[in-house]
Amino acid sequence: SSSSTPATASLNAEQLKERIIRHLHATLGTDINKASPQAWWRATCAAINESVFDGLRTTQREHYQQDTRAVHYFSLEYLMGRLFSNNLHNLGLYQSAKQALAELGHDIADLEDQEEDMALGNGGLGRLAACFIDSLATMNLPAVGYGIHYEHGLFQQEFQAGRQIERPDSWREYGNPWEICRPESVQEISVYGYVETVYDLQGRMKKVWHPGRIIKGVPWDIPVVGYHGSSVNVLRLWESRASDFFNWDVFNSGGYVDASRENIEAETISKVLYPNDETEAGKELRLIQQYFFCSCSLKDIIRRYKRAHGDDWSKFPEQVVIQLNDTHPAVAIPELMRILVDRADMHWDEAWGICQQVFAYTNHTLLPEALESWSVRMFEKVLPRHLEIIYEINRRFLLEQVDVRWPGDNDKKRKLSIIEEGHEPMVRMGHLSVVGSFRVNGVAEVHSKLVQSDLFPEMVALWPEKFTNVTNGVTPRRWLKACNPRLSSMLDRLIGSDWPTDLKQLSKLAAHADDPKVQDDFMAIKQQNKADLAKVIQDLTGVAVDPAAIFDIQIKRLHEYKRQHLNLLHILALYRRILQNPDYDMVPRVFIFGAKAAPGYKLAKEIIYAINKVAEKINHDKRVKDRIKVVFMPNYRVTLAEKMIPAADVSEQISTAGKEASGTGNMKLALNGAITVGTLDGANIEIAEEVGEDNIAIFGLTVDEVKALRQSGYHSRDYYHNNPEIKAILDWLETDYFTPGKPGELAAIKHSLLEGGDPYLVLADFEGYQAAQQQIDGWYRDKAGWAKKAMMNTACVGKFTSDRSIQDYVDRVWQLTPCKVD
Ligand code: 26R
């Protein structure tokens, strides 16, 4: 597109060329005749960074001078993807860079492919954090993202004979051009050891924590560039190292080998991202990771606060708000209490008053297996003083809140206690987060309602004003402007170029939805994007697909509640219908999956295997006559999403109602003109409200119907026995039809749906699902009708920009004011 910012408009292709060549010489130590594509990419990054660092310095100076209130986003995960084209677009330099590189003999797309994804996250929660920091910078809001500088991000996925293999991800093996090490801001943190009770001269009791280990946190800053000359904020990620101070002792006493063992242990903390999505494992290293980055970050915040306010803590809650991205960083609550009470000698009540004004908590899931709790035993070993503090928080909470509201009610105390009693007592991090925060939000309307009605109803009774909703959103800079340049230029022409920061402008597209010329243009763009994706599919999987077919896409982590196996059952139903009726009439469809399974999640891996085996069979079966193709894209990640989403006709959002907190892929796909096949779950409900029932294929049980069905007793076997198609498909999976010579290899799915009781009601929703798919087939036959529906999706989803989500956080939670930066 043509737009560029006033601030950087002066930087033309000629000047960029000069910068790139200068860096090729001075930074990369090579020259234009022998530079590799990697060197060209790095030189271009260095050229971009000159502008990035300008913005960074200006922004930080402005925030310091204005002494701004800031939000501090605490997250164990940031799924950033690549930053090259993102930074160019946000600086308004993409076109200049493209031209400069072309004149230097390089295709910008080839250089983009030199960059590894920064995959420091699992899925939705991590990608949401990345969208949010983009919006915060774009909206000129003072903000710092805090997290962990993992050496290895989410594993890379390969398929071997159809099965998932995990390989380590080394995103910064040869250095990452976007990060800046800040040795001047290292922190030291403690773990293990014991607590001593001492009395001072006035006879006041004090607790002294004698730590067992001291660990150094080294911060790496990633500049976060706002769109079009606005602020440049930072994402500060902590890397763990052995503390110099601690190791000297061992070293001096001749223990060189012991000292390096301690080095290794300390460095293990930030070594690897836990790949579990929605399944809590209770591992000690994970708790240490959480504490390590929370403690480093709090000390960093306090250091900056003290620079402006000295030892006067009274302004702290005016200056600082901390957003907890799920319960993963909840240990920050007792850590701030420890710093205030033990280190700053503050009275408990005053310290607690500060905490409760500083923390806010976002819940991202209701799945019981994802709700974090730590055994008291382990907590005591790792963080003995914090456990005492949690006990005291809990004692006062039960006494001053619960017992006042429900006098003598021990059931209520048991249910609300931060400590879950039992054979193995546990610390409940959700309870701690609610008690310690001034606000608690869910991530879509229906989810926030369920957080209040099903997860924390008594907490709502105690503090109704604490609870609110902020529906998720996605950044349109990455998820439309950068990833779908064809549609972006069309939008610029048709509705002007303000939509990237004012996404409601997209509604102007609706006026053109009946215009045949515009419909043709819109669908021609979709067709070109599909042709591009077809090449990628050919390269990655060897499968040839026809861009004229419906591209039906399900991309998300592999989980039973997301029901990739429901999609598979429908594919099998179509295949069977074709075998039974060679003339079966359907619009050709390509079913495309992208998903990683947690390495220890057996059934999820079996579902991947089953999809791959079924794909192999169907794709080679001549009788299908290309009416169905099935592809499972290996190593699904942000960069692959950027290629798939612009090419989607159909978006699969088929979770069991009540299970998907929000979803954000649903928003990206609709934004790019895909039509959703979805349940009334998470943000699908709000998408349906926005696009209207003509433009979405809704099916299946509602949240209330799911509850009622479970109440009355759900028997998946009834569906198996009463629906011959279901029976035939499930029985088919047990034969060796898809795994010649090896019957039973795909039986795991059938067993979980029958013997396993079908915990996510796949069979109950099958009939409705296949009807919705039939409806899609019918809609697609009407070319103009489909074009209109697709356009109406793009036109009507302006609500789901992450800028709106951030504005909701500002209004309902953070109370921040923007700080304009020149
Ligand atoms: C405790 C641990 C193993 C763990 C649990 C859960 C680690 C990671 C998760 C991920 C969860 C919290 C997650 O990603 N939830 C997703 O958050 C998205 C952003 O709000 C939602 O859109 C999505 O519906 C939800 O599943």
Side-chain angles (χ1 to χ4, degrees):
S1 91
S2 54
S3 51
S4 60
T5 92
T8 47
S10 54
L11 205 61
N12 57 32
E14 208 49 48
Q15 292 162 309
L16 259 178
K17 257 163 76 179
E18 179 276 317
R19 273 193 192 178
I20 294 168
I21 291 169
R22 179 157 47 77
H23 280 290
L24 208 58
H25 296 167
T27 309
L28 276 298
T30 184
D31 77 306
I32 53 171
N33 298 315
K34 61 174 190 198
S36 63
Q38 173 78 191
W40 280 106
W41 170 69
R42 284 179 187 277
T44 310
C45 291
I48 298 167
N49 271 338
E50 288 190 26
S51 302
V52 172
F53 296 165
D54 273 347
L56 184 63
R57 280 196 315 278
T58 326
T59 308
Q60 299 211 313
R61 195 193 320 121
E62 202 64 26
H63 289 175
Y64 179 76
Q65 280 170 0
Q66 312 245 341
D67 192 22
T68 49
R69 171 177 170 81
V71 61
H72 305 81
Y73 202 80
F74 277 28
S75 178
L76 263 285
E77 305 191 12
Y78 291 89
L79 250 186
M80 302 293 285
R82 290 173 176 166
L83 295 178
F84 185 90
S85 85
N86 186 250
N87 286 349
L88 281 173
H89 276 291
N90 284 8
L91 290 165
L93 293 177
Y94 191 83
Q95 291 309 324
S96 303
K98 187 174 172 171
Q99 190 191 331
L101 288 166
E103 288 171 15
L104 291 164
H106 289 277
D107 182 355
I108 193 165
D110 295 341
L111 292 201
E112 282 171 45
D113 277 333
Q114 296 297 315
E115 184 170 356
E116 295 281 338
D117 269 39
M118 196 176 164
L120 310 186
N122 273 290
L125 166 138
R127 184 54 233 176
L128 186 76
C131 286
F132 280 4
I133 58 178
D134 177 275
S135 285
L136 282 161
T138 297
M139 296 163 79
N140 291 304
L141 291 163
V144 185
Y146 282 107
I148 294 178
H149 189 261
Y150 300 107
E151 184 175 334
H152 302 287
L154 186 62
F155 66 85
Q156 300 201 2
Q157 178 194 56
E158 282 175 22
F159 296 136
Q160 275 179 21
R163 294 198 179 271
Q164 170 176 296
I165 304 291
E166 301 93 27
R167 302 208 170 284
D169 165 71
S170 299
W171 63 284
R172 54 193 297 280
E173 194 176 358
Y174 305 110
N176 181 292
W178 308 117
E179 58 186 13
I180 310 158
C181 190
R182 302 285 192 200
E184 69 273 23
S185 302
V186 297
Q187 292 292 349
E188 292 209 311
I189 70 114
S190 310
V191 281
Y192 300 119
Y194 63 96
V195 180
E196 188 189 6
T197 307
V198 298
Y199 295 88
D200 65 12
L201 293 173
Q202 287 82 44
R204 279 205 319 177
M205 187 179 84
K206 272 202 67 95
K207 296 288 193 164
V208 180
W209 178 20
H210 298 280
R213 295 286 306 262
I214 296 176
I215 290 146
K216 189 162 73 177
V218 179
W220 292 84
D221 285 356
I222 318 275
V224 180
V225 181
Y227 185 70
H228 277 197
S230 38
S231 310
V232 177
N233 285 339
V234 293
L235 173 59
R236 174 158 282 193
L237 303 177
W238 299 96
E239 180 184 87
S240 62
R241 303 263 183 88
S243 155
D244 311 328
F245 144 80
F246 190 78
N247 277 285
W248 271 113
D249 286 355
V250 189
F251 190 81
N252 287 338
S253 56
Y256 175 73
V257 173
D258 287 349
S260 49
R261 184 178 49 76
E262 302 222 323
N263 268 322
I264 290 169
E265 281 174 17
E267 283 162 18
T268 301
I269 296 171
S270 60
K271 199 45 85 186
V272 57
L273 164 79
Y274 273 91
N276 296 340
D277 195 78
E278 320 262 6
T279 311
E280 212 273 307
K283 292 276 196 298
E284 181 173 316
L285 180 61
R286 166 91 176 171
L287 177 60
I288 298 175
Q289 282 188 337
Q290 296 180 347
Y291 177 67
F292 163 73
F293 111 86
C294 288
S295 183
C296 288
S297 307
L298 281 172
K299 288 173 178 172
D300 195 56
I301 293 168
I302 291 167
R303 178 186 52 78
R304 203 174 306 121
Y305 173 79
K306 286 195 163 179
R307 213 162 54 190
H309 301 270
D311 285 334
D312 173 14
W313 285 95
S314 66
K315 303 265 164 13
F316 193 73
E318 291 167 32
Q319 297 299 94
V320 174
V321 56
I322 296 174
Q323 190 66 37
L324 304 173
N325 201 20
D326 215 284
T327 58
H328 314 160
V331 70
I333 295 169
E335 172 65 356
L336 182 56
M337 283 302 284
R338 185 188 68 83
I339 293 170
L340 296 177
V341 172
D342 292 3
R343 314 295 299 192
D345 280 320
M346 197 178 283
H347 282 120
W348 182 278
D349 295 299
E350 193 188 343
W352 186 240
I354 289 178
C355 273
Q356 281 194 313
Q357 288 176 270
V358 162
F359 290 105
Y361 154 55
T362 305
N363 174 286
H364 293 267
T365 179
L366 298 167
L367 293 196
E369 63 268 34
L371 300 180
E372 284 191 300
S373 62
W374 297 102
S375 83
V376 164
R377 199 172 31 80
M378 182 199 297
F379 215 106
E380 182 164 29
K381 176 181 165 203
V382 177
L383 299 169
R385 177 59 185 140
H386 297 77
L387 182 64
E388 289 186 350
I389 290 171
I390 290 171
Y391 279 152
E392 181 61 13
I393 293 171
N394 196 40
R395 191 187 65 79
R396 288 168 180 251
F397 166 61
L398 294 178
L399 193 77
E400 294 162 15
Q401 307 289 333
V402 181
D403 198 60
V404 169
R405 176 78 191 225
W406 297 282
D409 187 338
N410 284 326
D411 278 349
K412 280 279 180 296
K413 289 209 186 71
R414 200 170 313 114
K415 201 172 169 213
L416 286 175
S417 174
I418 298 169
I419 308 297
E420 182 181 20
E421 294 301 340
H423 166 68
E424 174 85 83
M426 306 290 276
V427 184
R428 295 160 159 164
M429 301 308 270
H431 288 55
L432 176 63
S433 301
V434 174
V435 172
S437 299
F438 67 92
R439 205 122 296 163
V440 175
N441 75 282
V443 291
E445 291 287 352
V446 68
H447 169 66
S448 293
K449 285 217 175 78
L450 291 168
V451 164
Q452 294 170 45
S453 61
D454 294 16
L455 196 56
F456 300 124
E458 295 84 2
M459 300 281 196
V460 177
L462 288 173
W463 299 295
E465 65 295 340
K466 241 190 216 194
F467 291 81
T468 187
N469 169 250
V470 178
T471 297
N472 283 167
V474 302
T475 172
R477 274 75 68 179
R478 181 179 290 262
W479 296 111
L480 183 50
K481 173 132 182 144
C483 76
N484 198 343
R486 295 185 181 101
L487 183 53
S488 297
S489 325
M490 176 177 169
L491 291 170
D492 287 348
R493 256 192 300 111
L494 230 52
I495 64 168
S497 53
D498 289 341
W499 58 267
T501 50
D502 183 12
L503 203 61
K504 286 276 181 177
Q505 296 274 335
L506 290 179
S507 65
K508 290 197 243 162
L509 187 62
H512 305 273
D514 285 305
D515 179 339
K517 170 74 178 82
V518 182
Q519 288 178 350
D520 284 352
D521 289 351
F522 193 91
M523 292 317 288
I525 287 167
K526 184 61 83 181
Q527 201 66 21
Q528 290 167 26
N529 292 341
K530 287 163 73 175
D532 286 353
L533 182 62
K535 287 203 197 80
V536 176
I537 291 172
Q538 175 74 250
D539 283 355
L540 291 178
T541 69
V543 178
V545 300
D546 180 0
I550 296 176
F551 277 25
D552 179 317
I553 298 191
Q554 187 170 19
I555 40 178
K556 49 186 79 262
R557 282 297 287 259
L558 205 312
H559 202 292
E560 288 165 272
Y561 87 78
K562 296 176 187 283
R563 301 198 294 191
Q564 280 93 352
H565 50 334
L566 175 56
N567 191 340
L568 177 64
L569 294 189
H570 171 246
I571 293 169
L572 287 167
L574 292 177
Y575 181 36
R576 186 167 165 277
R577 288 176 204 171
I578 287 172
L579 296 187
Q580 294 201 324
N581 171 11
D583 300 321
Y584 184 73
D585 183 25
M586 64 174 277
V587 180
R589 215 191 278 209
V590 186
F591 294 93
I592 308 171
F593 294 84
K596 286 177 180 173
Y601 189 171
K602 291 271 171 47
L603 184 57
K605 289 181 140 181
E606 292 298 331
I607 294 171
I608 290 180
Y609 183 62
I611 295 171
N612 275 324
K613 296 316 276 185
V614 168
E616 208 175 299
K617 185 79 189 180
I618 293 180
N619 295 344
H620 291 104
D621 191 332
K622 294 276 178 301
R623 298 168 296 179
V624 173
K625 301 212 186 76
D626 290 344
R627 277 166 290 184
I628 310 175
K629 288 272 152 118
V630 182
V631 289
F632 206 127
M633 307 288 274
N635 202 27
Y636 177 64
R637 62 197 186 284
V638 169
T639 293
L640 205 46
E642 288 166 3
K643 299 175 187 182
M644 296 172 79
I645 288 168
D649 293 306
V650 174
S651 161
E652 299 277 348
Q653 309 299 336
I654 58 178
S655 53
T656 314
K659 297 294 179 190
E660 190 70 271
S662 163
T664 44
N666 48 1
M667 301 168 186
K668 296 165 196 170
L669 284 154
L671 182 61
N672 284 272
I675 290 163
T676 303
V677 175
T679 48
L680 286 173
D681 195 18
N684 296 351
I685 296 174
E686 290 160 73
I687 292 174
E689 278 167 16
E690 297 295 306
V691 305
E693 61 183 347
D694 290 350
N695 302 311
I696 188 166
I698 293 291
F699 73 95
L701 300 167
T702 62
V703 171
D704 291 339
E705 287 165 350
V706 164
K707 280 187 184 162
L709 180 55
R710 287 229 172 86
Q711 284 275 310
S712 70
Y714 171 61
H715 304 289
S716 55
R717 281 184 177 285
D718 296 350
Y719 295 83
Y720 174 79
H721 290 298
N722 296 335
N723 183 329
E725 194 168 47
I726 289 178
K727 179 167 192 310
I729 294 162
L730 292 184
D731 292 346
W732 208 3
L733 279 175
E734 263 195 327
T735 69
D736 77 341
Y737 191 84
F738 301 99
T739 54
K742 294 173 181 167
E745 274 222 302
L746 306 187
I749 294 173
K750 178 178 176 184
H751 289 154
S752 96
L753 297 181
L754 298 181
E755 288 82 51
D758 187 9
Y760 297 98
L761 310 182
V762 170
L763 299 190
D765 272 345
F766 178 82
E767 180 62 38
Y769 181 54
Q770 74 85 33
Q773 292 290 17
Q774 205 98 53
Q775 187 174 35
I776 288 284
D777 181 283
W779 284 351
Y780 199 81
R781 290 163 195 256
D782 169 11
K783 281 267 128 63
W786 184 273
K788 179 173 180 183
K789 290 182 201 302
M791 283 177 60
M792 286 303 285
N793 269 270
T794 299
C796 297
V797 295
K799 171 178 173 184
F800 303 103
T801 169
S802 44
D803 299 348
R804 190 269 316 143
S805 307
I806 290 299
Q807 191 58 51
D808 287 351
Y809 277 102
V810 166
D811 297 340
R812 297 171 198 175
V813 186
W814 300 335
Q815 311 295 337
L816 280 186
T817 34
C819 174
K820 197 83 192 128
V821 173
D822 237 348

